[in-house]
Every structure is written in C-alpha cells, then in structure tokens.
Amino acid sequence: MRRVPPEEQRTTGTPSVDLAEQTRIVSRLVAEVPDTRLAGPTPCPAYTVGGLLGHLRGLAVAFRDAARKDLGPTTDTAPDPAAASLPAAWREELPRVLGELAEAWQDPGAWTGMTRAGGVDLPGEVAGAVAVDELVIHGWDLARATGQEYLPDGAALRASHAFLLAAAHEGDRGGGIFGPVVAVPDDAPLLDRAVGLSGRDPGWAPPTAP
C-alpha cells in the first residue's frame, strides 16, 4: 500500500469492482507459497516474499476497515515496509482477511462518501480503486517471486490499468505509482502494461542461484 499524494485524492470515476474473484486468486497464490521462499526477493525491492505477505495482510485489514468506514489504528497508519511482519498463522489469517476485504467492498456504500487508508482521507471510490490496484499488482509480485502462474480477474485488471494510467498521466509526470514507469509496447498484454505503469519490469524473475 502506498501513500496517495493530494493530487490523486480526488474522485477517479472508477466504477465499483467486485473483489471476490481477485481476492480468491491471491489467496490461491498464498496457499502455494513454500516456507523456503519466504526470505526470497520480490519485484518490490523493499520486500522479501514474507514481507510482501505481511504487507498484503496489512493492506487487506486497512482497506477492509476503510470500506466499512471503521476508522482507527488500522486506517490511520502509513505503510511501512519495516513493519510488514508476518503473523505465525499467516496461511489461515491472510485468506480470511482477504475474504473480509472483498465482502466489505461489496457494500455500495463503501464506494461513496469519505474514508481513510494509510493515514490519508480519501473519497470511497479512490480508496476502492487503490485496493483493487494493490491486489492486482501485488498478486503479480507474489506470483513472480514464487514461480506461479498468474491470471488476475479481468474486471480488476482493467480497473487497475485505468487507475495506473490516470496516475501516470497526472500533470504529465510520467511517473508510476510505485516508481518510474517502465516502458512497455502498446500491443503488450494488458497485465504487462499495468505492471510497467506500476514501475515494474514485466520480465522480472528471481535471480538464479550461481
């Protein structure tokens, strides 16, 4: 979860997205992560696989509560890679909170009014768009880091790409949400284009052992 700058805290025009299938996809990826990969690298330089799983748990809880307008400690804290600890029961807990996240955003009221996530006050539809994007891009991160196939939910992927494209074009900044945009051919698959807009190389793979 990244900190949303003020220029992106306006409404996005993003329609509500059912997160149920995307959270199931991420949960299936989680279930196949071997313990031997937890210390391995991911496309996010700040996170190991274990750190990324801890981050996913934290953002799932934060955006679940943001959807519920249950504002407090879980929504008031800015993301901190150093604090992305992985609970001992992560294999059970992470799918549970991902399911709760999807259920919370199925309420149409979650997409309206104001809420908060990462310590930033946001319109509900912006918070929802960020949640969708986090699930799609971090799902790719996890799949790549652990050698799994990844086919995100189509509606979630389209929403993520639209959100990332709008963010990259904001004020002609040309920058990605997670880092500088990585150039990807216009005819590349939509997932590759979204990954590039997020500041990642679609061709990233874990380093091979010498």
Side-chain angles (χ1 to χ4, degrees), residues 66-137:
R68 295 172 176 174
K69 310 296 197 292
D70 184 11
L71 308 184
T74 61
T75 62
D76 291 350
T77 304
D80 179 4
S85 60
L86 190 61
W90 61 273
R91 291 190 184 276
E92 296 76 30
E93 185 175 348
L94 189 45
R96 176 179 60 79
V97 295
L98 285 168
E100 292 170 353
L101 170 70
E103 182 179 6
W105 284 100
Q106 287 174 338
D107 180 354
W111 297 83
T112 63
M114 294 295 295
T115 189
R116 187 181 308 131
V120 180
D121 292 327
L122 299 167
E125 66 172 293
V126 173
V130 174
V132 173
D133 181 60
E134 294 276 346
L135 289 169
V136 170
I137 298 301

Side-chain angles (χ1 to χ4, degrees), residues 8 65 72 96 131 142 156 170 178 209:
E8 293 172 26
D65 293 347
R96 176 179 60 79
L142 184 60
E170 178 66 34
F178 300 92

Side-chain angles (χ1 to χ4, degrees), residues 9 11-12 24-25 33 52 72 77 80 97 107-108 130 149 179 196 205:
Q9 293 173 26
T11 57
T12 65
R24 282 193 288 266
I25 289 168
V33 174
L52 179 61
T77 304
D80 179 4
V97 295
D107 180 354
V130 174
E149 292 188 7

Side-chain angles (χ1 to χ4, degrees), residues 17-91:
V17 177
D18 187 343
L19 300 183
E21 181 57 24
Q22 182 60 27
T23 53
R24 282 193 288 266
I25 289 168
V26 175
S27 291
R28 287 197 291 269
L29 294 172
V30 169
E32 296 300 321
V33 174
D35 290 341
T36 54
R37 290 288 187 104
L38 292 178
T42 74
C44 296
Y47 293 114
T48 62
V49 171
L52 179 61
L53 290 168
H55 177 66
L56 277 167
R57 177 199 172 276
L59 74 86
V61 170
F63 281 97
R64 176 200 67 191
D65 293 347
R68 295 172 176 174
K69 310 296 197 292
D70 184 11
L71 308 184
T74 61
T75 62
D76 291 350
T77 304
D80 179 4
S85 60
L86 190 61
W90 61 273
R91 291 190 184 276

